[in-house]
Amino acid sequence: MSRKPWEKQHPKGKDGVPTRLFTDENPATTIKGTGFRDKRIAERTIRLTSQPGVRYKQYWTIKAMRERAFYHPHQTNGMRDAIRVFDDWLKEEVNKPALSKEEINLRRDEWKRYQTLCQSAANGHSYGNEPTQSQLQRARDDLKNGQDCLVRGLELSQKSTSNPFPFPLLAFSALFGAPGAHGYGRHTIVGDQSLVDVDGKDGLQELVSSKRVLSRYGDELKRISLTYNRENGTTEMKLEYGKKRKTLSSLWNRVPKGPQQSPPDVSPSKDTHTTLISSKRAWSCSICTFEHVGVDKKLYLACEMCGAPRQESSSAREVTPNTKEIPPKPAHATKSNNSPHAKETLTDARKAAWGTLRPPTSRDVQGPRKRQKGLDTPTPLLDYIVVMDFEWTADNKSKMEPIAEITQFPAVVVKLEDRKWGYSTAKSESILPKSPIPLPADLCVPCFSNRVVNADAYAISAFDTFVKPTLNPTLTKFSIELTAIQQHDVDSAPSIDTVVNEFVTWLQSLGLVDSGGKRVGNWCFATWGDGDIGGTLRQELDYKSVSLPPCFDRWIDLKNDSIFLKHYGREPRGGLRKCVESIGALWSGRAHNGLVDSFNTAKIVRHMVQTGFRFTRPTRGLDRNGVPFGQRRKQNENRERS
């Protein structure tokens, strides 16, 4: 194969570096595991690109890897070894004879298959050899989404063997690549299903580089099997472990193996402190019950596990001149352990071995104790979370004067339940009034029936209405295009004071507030950002001299209070839709519609609860003067600076 095609399509710049390197960012045809980090990775790259289906681009891939390693700004010794491996292969490839007709036909068939895969739905984010920044960001988002879905599947697989969970097709292709052998294992397509086998922890490390995820599953992970349905976008996963995990009981009662014999002068005794089960055991500690096995341990005067003095009859061990004789116990002490002398001897032995600590008992070794303290139980979940996402007047690159006004006022009530700890003091949805707004099917059905999750959050009611702005009654073109709210929608809508009263009445029908608008029970609002309740609603009601209901004094900011970051380990970037899709949930509806955004935000709340996050308290609120926490201090600091 000639080098001219490469040099022609990849000219070098003034610095000698090729202006663009070969890249195949088609997820449906990508082979995972190629690289140039060291000699082993370089040899694996050659082996992976030699398999049928990718040989048409083998030369281009290896040439690109060689150039990337050669011009890397932080080149290592391993990269230099990889360059030598690539150079040897390229020399042999150039000197090879021309391809035969059979090989040419095979390459032609592979090329047709490649074109078919490139036109499939799994190749939605391909962009060729000259990508834009937005295309690169989309490819990274798809890969990150696939990694998040894989981690979610691992968590569910530890709880149940049958656990179909959603996995977007683009995210699946971006993570697992084309059919064939990969650095993580193998991907096979059979009909409408994709079968993926990941080679244990090493294969998982190729897909997810998170140390927290890798340390959680350990070296016992032998294989991960995935069955992906390409029609409905769901995946089933199974985990296989090799070695059996060790427990504290197995480590504590471990007895060395081997043909060891007990000393001939040690015979079984009826002493309650020393009961020789077999001839292999020399003696047993009366404090921690550790068994000393072997001939060389018959003269031990103290336990090698806990350090307690040896307590047994004089006939059970041999006395040497260099050891002190332990006085035998009185005869009445061997008959009953309730005697004062027996209790005193045992107490002295315990103090000598452990000081002020209590020695372990069989109950400690066998398993965990039952929870007895009230502080051991976790803080109960909130009973309800009311998710809100307002829409308000806006203009492109200019601020609404004097203030922005709400044009859509939606809310979704989500019920939280914890089956494991039995915390569900909320009222049954059967006695609650029916929702005036239809609820999405994937948000209102509890998931306790599949026995996968211990906690769940599902919608039970929704509220939505348009609001008429009075300060700027005419909507801007930017606002109409962004929210799809038309002028006639707000012209016939009630004003903000009427909407607030209707909303409080709706909450009162659910038993969440009293007649004065004060909160009843353990619940809280939740918003995606801090501009809904703490910003727009508070400022508009204050400007129009409308009293803010007392229930709005506390809320949860899912986006800015590190809640999303703490649970998922990443920043909530890319907008609400990207965050919803990144957790494996399906986005439904038009973005920037208040009710649609509230439903999709509730999906994030539900997924967080199902995966172990506990909503127990608010994160934002207003002080007694109606100012959000922290803003008054910032105002005073700005005044001092000025």
Side-chain angles (χ1 to χ4, degrees):
M1 183 180 293
S2 175
R3 294 171 179 257
K4 291 183 180 180
W6 172 274
E7 302 295 343
K8 182 178 179 180
Q9 297 191 25
H10 300 80
K12 296 182 178 180
K14 296 181 181 180
D15 54 357
V17 181
T19 55
R20 54 190 179 92
L21 294 172
F22 172 77
T23 179
D24 182 14
E25 293 297 343
N26 295 318
T29 62
T30 300
I31 295 297
K32 302 289 183 176
T34 60
F36 51 86
R37 183 177 59 191
D38 50 31
K39 180 180 178 180
R40 182 183 65 85
I41 299 297
E43 293 174 347
R44 187 176 70 178
T45 300
I46 296 175
R47 183 175 66 255
L48 292 176
T49 54
S50 300
Q51 60 180 320
V54 293
R55 291 177 296 184
Y56 63 90
K57 59 179 180 180
Q58 183 181 21
Y59 176 84
W60 297 81
T61 303
I62 294 178
K63 180 67 175 178
M65 293 297 171
R66 192 268 177 195
E67 295 294 326
R68 289 176 179 175
F70 185 80
Y71 293 107
H72 198 278
H74 306 288
Q75 193 179 95
T76 62
N77 293 331
M79 294 181 186
R80 298 184 186 97
D81 296 337
I83 292 173
R84 286 190 284 269
V85 173
F86 291 141
D87 287 341
D88 294 340
W89 185 90
L90 292 171
K91 290 179 182 178
E92 295 179 0
E93 186 69 17
V94 171
N95 297 327
K96 281 184 179 181
L99 298 176
S100 62
K101 292 184 178 180
E102 296 180 357
E103 292 178 343
I104 293 176
N105 292 333
L106 289 175
R107 299 291 177 90
R108 186 180 293 111
D109 294 339
E110 293 176 2
W111 178 257
K112 291 181 180 178
R113 183 183 180 186
Y114 162 80
Q115 291 179 327
T116 303
L117 290 174
C118 287
Q119 296 173 359
S120 64
N123 201 35
H125 77 208
S126 64
Y127 50 73
N129 297 332
E130 296 183 359
T132 62
Q133 291 297 326
S134 60
Q135 290 173 332
L136 287 173
Q137 183 61 41
R138 182 179 178 185
R140 288 191 291 265
D141 292 341
D142 288 338
L143 179 60
K144 181 64 177 175
N145 190 6
Q147 293 174 342
D148 295 338
C149 292
L150 177 62
V151 173
R152 180 192 177 195
L154 292 172
E155 295 175 354
L156 295 177
S157 298
Q158 286 187 326
K159 303 177 182 179
S160 174
T161 56
S162 179
N163 56 334
F165 58 94
F167 208 131
L169 180 59
L170 285 181
F172 184 88
S173 300
L175 182 63
F176 296 108
H182 296 266
Y184 62 81
R186 177 167 289 277
H187 177 199
T188 307
I189 298 180
V190 180
D192 295 332
Q193 291 184 341
S194 285
L195 308 179
V196 176
D197 291 330
V198 181
D199 298 334
K201 184 179 179 180
D202 294 336
L204 182 61
Q205 189 172 7
E206 293 285 339
L207 298 172
V208 182
S209 59
S210 174
K211 294 182 179 180
R212 180 177 62 87
V213 175
L214 297 175
S215 61
R216 180 175 182 179
Y217 298 96
D219 299 330
E220 297 86 3
L221 187 61
K222 183 179 180 181
R223 183 185 178 187
I224 304 176
S225 301
L226 295 96
T227 302
Y228 180 68
N229 192 325
R230 305 178 75 87
E231 286 188 355
N232 56 18
T234 59
T235 302
E236 293 185 3
M237 182 185 299
K238 294 182 180 179
L239 304 181
E240 297 181 11
Y241 291 93
K243 300 178 182 179
K244 189 175 181 181
R245 297 185 176 182
K246 297 180 180 180
T247 60
L248 178 61
S249 178
S250 62
L251 294 175
W252 188 268
N253 295 325
R254 182 177 58 187
V255 178
K257 297 181 179 180
Q260 298 178 340
Q261 299 180 355
S262 61
D265 56 343
V266 178
S267 59
S269 173
K270 296 183 180 179
D271 192 350
T272 57
H273 293 268
T274 307
T275 304
L276 300 179
I277 300 175
S278 64
S279 60
K280 294 182 179 180
R281 191 171 94 178
W283 63 283
S284 176
C285 179
S286 61
I287 303 299
C288 67
T289 68
F290 181 78
E291 300 175 359
H292 297 74
V293 180
V295 179
D296 56 339
K297 298 183 181 180
K298 67 177 183 177
L299 300 180
Y300 279 24
L301 297 180
C303 177
E304 59 180 329
M305 176 60 71
C306 67
R310 183 172 176 177
Q311 298 288 335
E312 60 179 350
S313 63
S314 59
S315 61
R317 66 179 181 86
E318 180 182 352
V319 182
T320 61
N322 295 330
T323 61
K324 295 182 179 180
E325 176 68 13
I326 299 177
K329 295 188 297 184
H332 62 272
T334 60
K335 296 180 181 180
S336 175
N337 290 332
N338 296 327
S339 63
H341 184 79
K343 292 183 178 180
E344 182 180 357
T345 305
L346 185 59
T347 303
D348 295 340
R350 291 174 185 267
K351 291 183 178 180
W354 295 89
T356 59
L357 296 178
R358 178 182 61 81
T361 62
S362 59
R363 184 179 179 183
D364 297 326
V365 176
Q366 290 176 359
R369 293 174 293 172
K370 296 182 179 179
R371 294 183 179 270
Q372 297 178 353
K373 297 181 179 179
L375 296 178
D376 290 340
T377 58
T379 306
L381 287 172
L382 295 173
D383 294 335
Y384 297 98
I385 286 183
V386 181
V387 182
M388 308 189 73
D389 195 303
F390 301 138
E391 300 297 333
W392 53 77
T393 57
D395 199 1
N396 190 16
K397 298 182 180 180
S398 61
K399 184 179 179 181
M400 298 299 298
E401 296 294 344
I403 58 171
E405 298 175 274
I406 296 176
T407 56
Q408 187 179 8
F409 198 111
V412 180
V413 177
V414 180
K415 182 180 179 181
L416 279 61
E417 289 189 0
D418 192 336
R419 182 176 61 176
K420 181 178 180 181
W421 298 105
Y423 288 131
S424 179
T425 58
K427 299 179 181 179
S428 175
E429 61 270 18
S430 60
I431 64 175
L432 296 176
K434 293 184 179 180
S435 174
I437 307 296
L439 302 175
D442 59 344
L443 190 60
C444 63
V445 179
C447 292
F448 287 130
S449 58
N450 58 13
R451 298 182 180 180
V452 174
V453 296
N454 289 322
D456 194 14
Y458 52 93
I460 61 172
S461 185
F463 176 89
D464 183 33
T465 181
F466 293 113
V467 185
K468 182 179 181 179
T470 57
L471 301 177
N472 296 285
T474 303
L475 300 180
T476 62
K477 181 180 178 181
F478 173 80
S479 179
I480 295 176
E481 293 177 353
L482 179 66
T483 64
I485 299 176
Q486 303 300 322
Q487 185 65 43
H488 61 83
D489 294 330
V490 298
D491 289 341
S492 58
S495 58
I496 186 64
D497 54 344
T498 305
V499 170
V500 170
N501 292 332
E502 293 177 356
F503 179 72
V504 172
T505 303
W506 174 68
L507 291 179
Q508 187 178 2
S509 67
L510 298 175
L512 301 181
V513 298
D514 58 13
S515 59
K518 294 183 179 180
R519 185 183 293 103
V520 176
N522 186 23
W523 65 275
C524 190
F525 291 105
T527 59
W528 186 255
D530 201 27
D532 295 270
I533 299 177
T536 306
L537 177 63
R538 181 183 62 86
Q539 294 174 2
E540 182 178 2
L541 295 183
D542 182 61
Y543 187 86
K544 296 181 179 180
S545 300
V546 179
S547 60
L548 182 69
C551 58
F552 285 102
D553 62 338
R554 299 290 185 271
W555 67 93
I556 299 174
D557 187 354
L558 299 173
K559 180 180 179 182
N560 298 325
D561 286 333
S562 301
I563 293 180
F564 192 94
L565 172 63
K566 180 180 179 181
H567 186 64
Y568 294 107
R570 64 181 186 276
E571 294 284 350
R573 297 176 179 175
L576 177 60
R577 180 164 187 168
K578 287 291 184 180
C579 294
V580 171
E581 294 177 347
S582 67
I583 63 175
L586 298 178
W587 177 275
S588 57
R590 184 190 185 280
H592 297 293
N593 178 281
L595 184 62
V596 171
D597 291 347
S598 299
F599 280 143
N600 288 284
T601 304
K603 293 180 181 180
I604 296 180
V605 173
R606 184 179 200 183
H607 184 265
M608 293 179 69
V609 173
Q610 290 178 346
T611 53
F613 189 86
R614 304 187 61 82
F615 288 96
T616 59
R617 60 180 180 84
T619 61
R620 295 294 176 99
L622 305 176
D623 58 17
R624 58 184 179 181
N625 297 317
V627 179
F629 294 152
Q631 285 194 9
R632 184 173 295 276
R633 183 180 60 184
K634 293 181 180 179
Q635 294 175 0
N636 295 334
E637 292 178 355
N638 294 334
R639 291 175 182 175
E640 293 178 357
R641 292 177 182 177
S642 60

